[in-house]
Amino acid sequence: MAADPSSTSPSVPAADGADYADTASAAYRAALQVIESVEPRVAAATRKELADQRDSLKLIASENYASPAVLLTMGTWLSDKYAEGTIGHRFYAGCQNVDTVESVAAEHARELFGAPYAYVQPHSGIDANLVAFWAILATRVEAPELANLGAKHVNDLSEADWETLRNKLGNQRLLGMSLDAGGHLTHGFRPNISGKMFHQRSYGTNPETGFLDYDAVAAAAREFKPLVLVAGYSAYPRRVNFAKMREIADEVGATLMVDMAHFAGLVAGKVFTGDEDPVPHAHVTTTTTHKSLRGPRGGMVLATEEYAPAVDKGCPMVLGGPLSHVMAAKAVALAEARQPAFGKYAQQVADNAQALADGFIKRDAGLVTGGTDNHIVLLDVTSFGLTGRQAESALLDAGIVTNRNSIPADPNGAWYTSGIRLGTPALTSRGFGADEFDRVAELIVEVLSNTQPEGSAGSVSKAKYKLTDGTADRVHAAASELLSANPLYPGLTL
Ligand SMILES: *Cc1c(COP(=O)(O)O)cnc(C)c1O
C-alpha cells in the first residue's frame, strides 16, 4: 500500500516501509554482509528470495509480506533469552525485558480484537490450536473417577492419573469443518493430534450452493454432542456467522473455538464485524499472525476470562520456550494493525477478492459458491477440463504462484484435486487494486484456456499437461509488468 501520511503516526511507520526505506536498506545491506562473512550460501539464498518474491505473482491465500519493521524486529538478541512461563512468572531469571515485550504484544492484541485475554507465545497456528485444545480440556473435563486421587482437572493429574486420562480423553468429541469444505487438518483430522485425542465428526457445506449449512451443523451437533465445536477454515470463500455458531454450541453445551488463522486481518481491519467477528462469540479464538494479519510467522490465542488461566499454561504444557524476538515482532505488527491504514488495507483485500471473482465470472470460469465475500476465491478448474495439479503447474510456468485445493465432493480426490485456491492479501500489500486483480483473472484464464491435459481419450493424465507455445512467456511478461508497477518493499535496495 502507498504510505498515507495522514493516517500514520510517527511511532508506527507505514507497513510497506516506504517512509524509512533508506534506513532499512542500510540495515539489510549490513546484515547480509555479516551473514556473507560466515555462510555465503545463506546470504545468497536470502538475496535471491527477495528477487524471487519481487518477481512472482503471489496468490497463495495464506501468505503475505510483513513490513520491514516487523522483519527487522525479528533479527535481534531477544532471540537469545529463555523465558518459559508467563509474564512475571518465569522459570528463568532476568526476563524483565521479555516481560515488557510480551506484555506490549498482549496489550495490543487485547485492544485490537476486544478480547479479555491474549496469549502471544504460540510459535505457529497449529501450536495455538494445541494450546486451545488443552485449555478446553483443562477447563471442561472433570474426572470424577479420579476424585479419590484428589485431582479435579486434567492439569492436576499425577503420572498414574494420566494413564487413566488417556482413555478418558479418547472419549471427548470434536465437531469441525470437513477438509474438502475448507476446514484445517488441526480441526480433528487424522494426520494431526486433534484427530487422535478427540473423536471427530465434521460438518460440510450445502452440496447445491457450496455455502455453510447452519441447520446441518446444528443437526450434527445435536446428534454428536461435541465438547468442542470448531469454526474457521483455510479454503472457504465466504463469511461465517459466528453468533449462529455460538447458539449451536450453547444448545449442546459445547465450547466454541474459532480458528481465524486465515481471516484475522479482516477481523483486525473491521471488515468482519457484528456476527462475523468471532472474538465476542467464541470462548477461545486462535490465529496465526503471518497470514492476512501481516505479522511475523507465529500464532496467538484469545480467550474469555473463564478459559484464560488454562490458556496461560500453554508453555510449558504444550509449548517450548517463547520466541521472544518473534513476540517483539508480533507487538510491532499488532501496533501497525491498529493504525487506520490497516483498516483500509483489509477493506482493499476484500474488495480485491470481489474484483478477482468478478473477473472470473465475466470470463465464464467456474467458482465454488459462485463468488466470494472474504479474501479467498476458489476456482473450479474442471470448467477448463483440468485437474488442480495441472492448473497449478501451468500457472507456475507463467510465473503465477497458487496452490491446488480440493473442492466439495472433488471428482479428482485430495491429491490431484479440482480447485485452485487464490487469495488477495499478499498482492494487496504490494498496492494492487481492483483493476490489477481483474487483469490477474484475465491472465489466469489465458493460461488455463491454453492448457490441455496430456493423453488420449480413455487415458487422460491427471498430472501431465501441455501449454500452447508462447503462452507461458507472454503471460509471465504481462505479470512482470503488473509487478514492477507495484513494487514489493519500494525503496529497499540491497
Ligand atoms: C494456516 C492455518 C493453521 C496453521 O498455521 P501454522 O502457522 O502453519 O501452524 C491453522 N489453522 C488454520 C485454519 C490455518 O489456515
Side-chain angles (χ1 to χ4, degrees), residues 182-491:
H184 191 261
L185 277 179
T186 54
H187 300 178
F189 297 95
R190 276 288 166 192
N192 180 262
I193 187 143
S194 59
K196 298 186 194 292
M197 64 195 228
F198 290 106
H199 283 304
Q200 186 269 0
R201 198 175 286 183
S202 35
Y203 57 83
T205 46
N206 182 297
E208 253 115 67
T209 63
F211 278 71
L212 190 55
D213 181 341
Y214 298 94
D215 293 338
V217 178
R222 280 183 206 119
E223 196 196 308
F224 190 53
K225 301 225 180 319
L227 176 79
V228 193
L229 174 62
V230 183
Y233 53 79
S234 302
Y236 176 65
R238 296 290 173 175
R239 300 183 184 195
V240 173
N241 183 323
F242 297 107
K244 274 192 197 168
M245 295 301 276
R246 176 59 186 262
E247 259 172 50
I248 295 168
D250 283 348
E251 188 193 325
V252 301
T255 298
L256 178 63
M257 168 175 156
V258 178
D259 179 353
M260 63 170 182
H262 248 265
F263 54 89
L266 299 182
V267 179
K270 312 288 182 245
V271 175
F272 291 179
T273 56
D275 292 352
E276 293 163 356
D277 176 354
V279 181
H281 304 292
H283 297 94
V284 183
T285 305
T286 61
T287 186
T288 59
T289 46
H290 51 276
K291 297 182 182 176
S292 55
L293 194 53
R294 206 161 64 180
R297 195 153 284 279
M300 205 160 67
V301 183
L302 309 173
T304 57
E305 301 287 359
E306 183 191 2
Y307 289 87
V311 170
D312 213 35
K313 293 193 169 72
C315 167
M317 187 58 157
V318 293
L319 296 176
L323 312 175
S324 305
H325 57 309
V326 179
M327 292 196 297
K330 287 173 187 170
V332 171
L334 290 163
E336 287 177 350
R338 293 184 66 191
Q339 295 294 306
F342 192 86
K344 288 186 200 162
Y345 162 72
Q347 187 57 54
Q348 194 64 53
V349 165
D351 292 349
N352 285 345
Q354 203 65 60
L356 183 64
D358 291 346
F360 286 125
I361 292 164
K362 76 180 183 210
R363 294 176 178 93
D364 295 323
L367 298 182
V368 174
T369 76
T372 178
D373 50 30
N374 57 18
H375 63 296
I376 293 173
V377 172
L378 205 53
L379 184 61
D380 177 351
V381 295
T382 59
S383 58
F384 295 93
L386 300 170
T387 64
R389 167 86 185 257
Q390 289 162 330
E392 175 191 84
S393 305
L395 289 168
L396 193 59
D397 292 345
I400 302 176
V401 188
T402 65
N403 64 278
R404 67 184 188 276
N405 211 99
S406 301
I407 62 173
D410 201 305
N412 289 311
W415 177 251
Y416 293 109
T417 79
S418 304
I420 287 289
R421 185 185 67 163
L422 306 162
T424 55
L427 292 178
T428 305
S429 290
R430 286 182 76 134
F432 277 48
D435 291 346
E436 286 83 1
F437 271 97
D438 180 66
R439 179 82 172 121
V440 169
E442 186 182 9
L443 295 178
I444 289 174
V445 169
E446 184 173 349
V447 172
L448 299 183
S449 30
N450 280 288
T451 306
Q452 277 81 40
E454 282 203 354
S456 49
S459 68
V460 181
S461 174
K462 287 189 177 195
K464 294 190 187 136
Y465 63 95
K466 196 168 165 4
L467 263 165
T468 313
D469 286 347
T471 305
D473 289 345
R474 188 174 65 247
V475 171
H476 205 148
S480 295
E481 218 169 279
L482 275 177
L483 291 166
S484 42
N486 297 277
L488 172 62
Y489 302 130

Side-chain angles (χ1 to χ4, degrees), residues 7-72:
S7 64
T8 305
S9 84
S11 60
V12 185
D16 64 8
D19 52 349
Y20 56 95
D22 288 347
T23 318
S25 298
Y28 281 118
R29 275 196 295 269
L32 284 163
Q33 205 179 326
V34 171
I35 297 166
E36 206 150 41
S37 70
V38 180
E39 180 42 284
R41 290 172 297 181
V42 170
T46 307
R47 286 178 196 280
K48 174 88 170 25
E49 183 61 23
L50 178 61
D52 289 355
Q53 297 259 358
R54 279 180 158 161
D55 190 39
S56 80
L57 205 61
K58 181 153 93 172
L59 289 154
I60 297 198
S62 50
E63 293 188 8
N64 210 332
Y65 302 107
S67 71
V70 169
L71 299 178
L72 283 165

Side-chain angles (χ1 to χ4, degrees), residues 105-157:
E107 176 195 294
H108 280 311
R110 286 192 307 271
E111 289 182 13
L112 175 62
F113 292 107
Y117 169 79
Y119 187 63
V120 299
Q121 290 193 22
H123 310 157
S124 76
I126 284 194
D127 288 5
N129 286 349
L130 204 49
V131 169
F133 290 139
W134 279 107
I136 294 167
L137 289 169
T139 306
R140 295 282 314 275
V141 178
E142 299 217 352
E145 75 275 26
L146 298 174
N148 58 346
L149 300 169
K152 189 161 183 290
H153 289 106
V154 287
N155 274 354
D156 307 326
L157 299 176

